[in-house]
Amino acid sequence: FVFAGNEKEPQVLNVAHRGASAYAPEHTIPSYKLGDRMKGDYIEIDLQMTKDGHLIAMHDETLDRTTNGTGQVKDHTLAQIKELDAGSWFNETYPQYAKKKYAGLKVPTLDEVLAHFGSDKKYYIETKAPEVYPSMEEELLRILDKHGLTTKEKLENKNVLVQSFSQASLLKMYHLNPDVPLVQLFWYDTPGSITDGELEAVKRYAIGVGPNFQRIDREYVQQVRKHGLEIHPYTVNEKADMEKLIEWGVTGMFTNHPDRLHEVLRGK
Ligand code: G3P
Ligand code: CA
């Protein structure tokens, strides 16, 4: 089965989760650069929205964990967020990977990330907390459009995949532009299963699903594949798990260690 890349060789997509976030502060330009250098096929970007309507790359709805600020993103303007240090927390938490240059890093906007890496790179973008940010899908499309990522060629080439746990957000994206490839995320706290009916419903708007890998099994993967959908589990950091999932037939996965996944794929 061919999803992307070399037409002759089946490919398992290597998604650099928050960049190469095992080695650099997540959702910063150095983390994304490292993900690219470590042969990630996609840069994964979580989106939050500032008080004044800018989409920024950040996982949490609050500033506390990944910056020296506090409080909700939605209560801060971009100018206020640009004052913050998005790298020192990483140096303190992971001294083995600390680098002086990480101290004082800024939170990037989506616009800045796309300007930095250009329209030939591939981006796997998540609408986070869309119920908190009612217009984030429109703004996302506006920014993608601005960077030439919504042309027929770029959409067919899957230069952008949009993912969300929120079906409502994906349906909104679908209605705004049905050609943007979408991935429905799932989180299971008990062993995951998915019915034919659920998969047919997903297939109406999305090209694939993304479950947490710990709760799925071979049967789940094959059930998804039987419906012709992609399956990109998250977040897979150990080589033994990567190998197991590839053997089950996944078509990609999210990892904080794109270098490890590259080694696993190259070794095959
Ligand atoms: O987007 C896939 C995976 O990243 C979902 O979990 O919490 O890391 O965004 P999270
Ligand atoms: Ca994510």
Side-chain angles (χ1 to χ4, degrees):
F1 182 83
V2 175
F3 178 67
N6 185 335
E7 289 285 296
K8 291 194 186 88
E9 267 182 45
Q11 193 185 5
V12 173
L13 293 178
N14 185 341
V15 183
H17 183 245
R18 315 182 194 180
S21 60
Y23 310 108
E26 66 182 59
H27 293 314
T28 61
I29 298 288
S31 180
Y32 297 149
K33 264 193 196 166
L34 202 53
D36 190 43
R37 209 175 318 139
M38 290 181 167
K39 309 287 186 199
D41 296 301
Y42 279 83
I43 295 171
E44 198 241 2
I45 305 169
D46 294 314
L47 293 181
Q48 303 283 342
M49 199 176 218
T50 65
K51 188 178 178 181
D52 48 345
H54 295 274
L55 291 175
I56 58 166
M58 187 170 287
H59 177 273
D60 299 0
E61 276 174 68
T62 54
L63 299 163
D64 303 49
R65 182 176 62 87
T66 57
T67 75
N68 59 343
T70 56
Q72 303 278 321
V73 173
K74 70 175 171 57
D75 295 333
H76 292 76
T77 62
L78 181 61
Q80 289 170 322
I81 289 171
K82 283 290 184 186
E83 294 294 312
L84 303 174
D85 175 342
S88 291
W89 72 274
F90 179 89
N91 286 349
E92 286 153 25
T93 312
Y94 303 104
Q96 69 274 39
Y97 295 119
K99 288 200 163 78
K100 276 202 182 109
K101 67 173 186 179
Y102 294 159
L105 284 173
K106 302 287 180 211
V107 174
T109 63
L110 177 65
D111 192 32
E112 288 165 347
V113 176
L114 301 184
H116 187 98
F117 292 95
S119 63
D120 290 334
K121 292 279 183 239
K122 293 185 162 181
Y123 305 94
Y124 207 134
I125 301 175
E126 181 175 351
T127 56
K128 282 276 185 213
E131 62 289 347
V132 178
Y133 313 116
S135 61
M136 78 187 310
E137 294 83 4
E138 286 89 343
E139 179 62 5
L140 169 56
L141 277 171
R142 190 185 73 78
I143 301 280
L144 292 177
D145 202 39
K146 174 180 168 186
H147 291 275
L149 283 159
T150 53
T151 63
K152 191 165 180 281
E153 181 209 340
K154 297 293 179 189
L155 293 174
E156 282 176 3
N157 195 39
K158 297 188 173 68
N159 280 67
V160 174
L161 293 175
V162 175
Q163 45 162 341
S164 192
F165 287 99
S166 164
Q167 187 193 44
S169 180
L170 293 180
L171 287 173
K172 193 167 175 188
M173 285 296 300
Y174 182 79
H175 291 299
L176 289 167
N177 185 339
D179 298 325
V180 177
L182 306 174
V183 172
Q184 178 70 60
L185 299 176
F186 292 109
W187 186 79
Y188 299 104
D189 58 0
T190 55
S193 65
I194 192 157
T195 65
D196 289 337
E198 284 166 335
L199 285 164
E200 283 309 310
V202 166
K203 210 175 164 179
R204 285 189 207 116
Y205 59 91
I207 61 142
V209 298
N212 49 328
F213 84 93
Q214 295 92 340
R215 299 292 191 180
I216 62 169
D217 55 14
R218 184 190 298 274
E219 195 188 335
Y220 186 102
V221 174
Q222 290 180 356
Q223 166 77 343
V224 173
R225 300 295 295 128
K226 190 179 85 186
H227 286 261
L229 285 160
E230 308 295 331
I231 175 164
H232 303 156
Y234 63 90
T235 301
V236 191
N237 292 322
E238 300 302 329
K239 283 186 171 180
D241 291 320
M242 294 170 179
E243 282 163 359
K244 180 180 73 180
L245 289 162
I246 292 166
E247 209 262 313
W248 288 351
V250 303
T251 54
M253 67 189 86
F254 296 82
T255 179
N256 299 337
H257 297 263
D259 53 342
R260 287 185 190 167
L261 180 54
H262 183 65
E263 282 175 16
V264 166
L265 292 171
R266 207 179 41 183
K268 285 188 84 68

